[in-house]
Amino acid sequence: MGRTKTGFVGAAIVMASLGISAQQPPSSHWGIVLHGGAGILQRASMKPETEAAYRASLKQALQAGAEILDRGGSSLDAVEAAVRIMEDDPLFNAGRGSVFTADGRIELDAAIMDGATLKAGAVADVTRTRHPISLARAVMEKSPHVFLVGPGADAFSMQAGLEQVDPSFFFTERRWQSLIKELKKEGLPIPNRPAGAPPEPKEPIAEIEPEEAHKFGTVGVVALDRHGDIAAGTSTGGTQAKRWGRVGDSPVIGAGTYASNQSCAVSATGTGEYFIRLTVAREVCALVEYKNMPLQQAVDQVIHKELTALRGDGGVIAITPDGQMAWSFNTPGMYRARQAEGGKVEVGIYNDEP
Ligand code: ASP
């Protein structure tokens, strides 16, 4: 079972006063939960090979985080490592594979939070950092601030020595075609094909998943390490055809991302405007902290009652320092996976899976 640092320090003081020498903190069991976005994901409209590709990607990211935790690494390191893998994977709407803004650019948002210290770092509208989650971590660890946006965040990224890429690195044909379709539907002007993008294919590209799902694919990870510390991280390209410097919930601490060893760690995905208004991630943790709600009940209450009442759509993943793991979503599907120490890897997409 997990144990807070304060609990251990208290125990150490009692042991010292009894003349018993303090030993290593009792090890807790690690756990990790991740998501790759929620949306209209239905078995009937998903090709078997697409489904298999998503399941394999989710598993690969989960395993990267689990290996770190199993070696006694920190929940923060596990979260960052798993998110980085999904940021590089064009299947997800984070890093490479992100959706486009209405004017044909890619603006990335990410946040990370350390439940042991309540330290947090977040970035929005960054354009050149290969791994926005690592930039969020650099904001947390190497700057006096919590939240950096736009050109300032891009400049900090360079100064902090993070890997820079040309914006065309993030380009995928599938997201571009999806943007054009949506802009036509909304009667908005079609921007020029981005500089550095590969030439337009002669044949139309195959749809790899249902049209509506293109708007989703944000990634998030929550983890508990052997020291009993929890962390959360989220990374996204935001919502397709976003305009005017729009920022969603993902990088907003308390909305799309939150972690506190006093309660839980949460990462959200869905239409961010609703998650910001409900401060979803913090709301889940407040129910756990102040109402002593079991984690599953808390996530279900926020998603199926509060979010649904506002007609918001999406889901969350969560973990507590005592090893409870949960997910909840009100969409037909959410890409997700989890594993507890000694347990089996669970991967799910649709809402009829456990
Ligand atoms: N929550 C993200 C946003 O609103 C999008 C998503 O999770 O699909 O930016």
Side-chain angles (χ1 to χ4, degrees):
M1 283 287 120
R3 191 171 289 216
T4 60
K5 286 234 162 97
T6 340
F8 177 70
V9 170
I13 291 168
V14 172
M15 285 162 76
S17 68
L18 293 173
I20 304 167
S21 66
Q23 292 173 355
Q24 286 299 305
S27 81
S28 102
H29 290 291
W30 58 259
I32 181 165
V33 192
L34 59 80
H35 70 76
I40 312 203
L41 309 166
Q42 280 157 324
R43 204 175 256 112
S45 42
M46 180 89 85
K47 287 193 194 123
E49 57 273 25
T50 305
E51 188 183 314
Y54 271 104
R55 288 186 194 273
S57 286
L58 292 165
K59 207 168 164 184
Q60 193 199 352
L62 191 83
Q63 268 163 356
E67 268 165 32
I68 289 172
L69 296 169
D70 204 46
R71 288 201 302 266
S74 73
S75 50
L76 267 181
D77 284 347
V79 164
E80 184 184 1
V83 170
R84 281 171 68 102
I85 287 180
M86 291 190 283
E87 285 176 337
D88 274 344
D89 189 331
L91 286 178
F92 300 105
N93 172 20
R96 176 176 241 165
S98 286
V99 297
F100 287 90
T101 63
D103 54 2
R105 290 172 314 109
I106 285 183
E107 295 176 343
L108 306 163
D109 306 336
I112 195 162
M113 186 158 183
D114 177 4
T117 59
L118 296 188
K119 286 187 176 159
V123 291
D125 288 356
V126 297
T127 58
R128 294 182 165 270
T129 304
R130 175 167 175 183
H131 294 114
I133 194 69
S134 299
L135 178 54
R137 186 161 179 182
V139 171
M140 175 171 83
E141 292 176 343
K142 297 182 182 165
S143 91
H145 307 301
V146 168
F147 202 171
L148 303 182
V149 303
D154 279 338
F156 173 76
S157 176
M158 273 207 289
Q159 252 173 310
L162 284 133
E163 186 178 348
Q164 306 293 301
V165 290
D166 186 85
S168 62
F169 170 85
F170 303 115
F171 178 96
T172 52
E173 193 63 43
R174 156 198 181 213
R175 299 293 193 191
W176 181 251
Q177 296 302 334
S178 173
L179 172 75
I180 290 174
K181 227 184 228 181
E182 178 160 340
L183 293 176
K184 280 185 181 156
K185 209 158 57 187
E186 290 185 33
L188 289 167
I190 310 291
N192 291 335
R193 197 172 167 85
E200 198 162 347
K202 302 260 176 311
E203 302 292 319
I205 58 151
E207 281 291 333
I208 72 160
E209 63 183 351
E211 175 61 18
E212 292 86 342
H214 285 186
K215 292 178 189 157
F216 301 95
T218 291
V219 306
V221 182
V222 294
L224 160 67
D225 62 32
R226 286 229 168 101
H227 313 285
D229 292 327
I230 56 175
T234 313
S235 183
T236 187
T239 48
Q240 175 166 273
K242 62 187 182 180
R243 290 191 274 171
W244 311 302
R246 181 264 187 197
V247 177
D249 61 313
S250 309
V252 177
I253 298 302
T257 307
Y258 191 75
S260 162
N261 275 11
Q262 303 309 315
S263 51
C264 61
V266 177
S267 170
T269 175
T271 307
E273 282 67 13
Y274 299 97
F275 287 72
I276 294 175
R277 289 158 67 196
L278 287 169
T279 57
V280 161
R282 176 65 192 144
E283 177 81 349
V284 170
C285 294
L287 292 174
V288 170
E289 188 171 350
Y290 303 125
K291 286 204 161 180
N292 278 322
M293 253 190 210
L295 189 64
Q296 189 63 54
Q297 199 182 323
V299 292
D300 286 341
Q301 148 102 18
V302 174
I303 297 301
H304 291 293
K305 297 210 174 103
E306 301 177 30
L307 182 69
T308 303
L310 275 193
R311 296 178 189 277
D313 56 335
V316 292
I317 52 165
I319 199 162
T320 59
D322 68 2
Q324 298 172 64
M325 302 192 296
W327 50 48
S328 188
F329 50 99
N330 66 0
T331 43
M334 179 167 82
Y335 297 114
R336 61 198 187 275
R338 67 182 165 195
Q339 187 179 19
E341 183 172 359
K344 62 175 174 38
V345 174
E346 288 175 69
V347 180
I349 299 180
Y350 312 111
N351 61 6
D352 58 4
E353 294 174 272

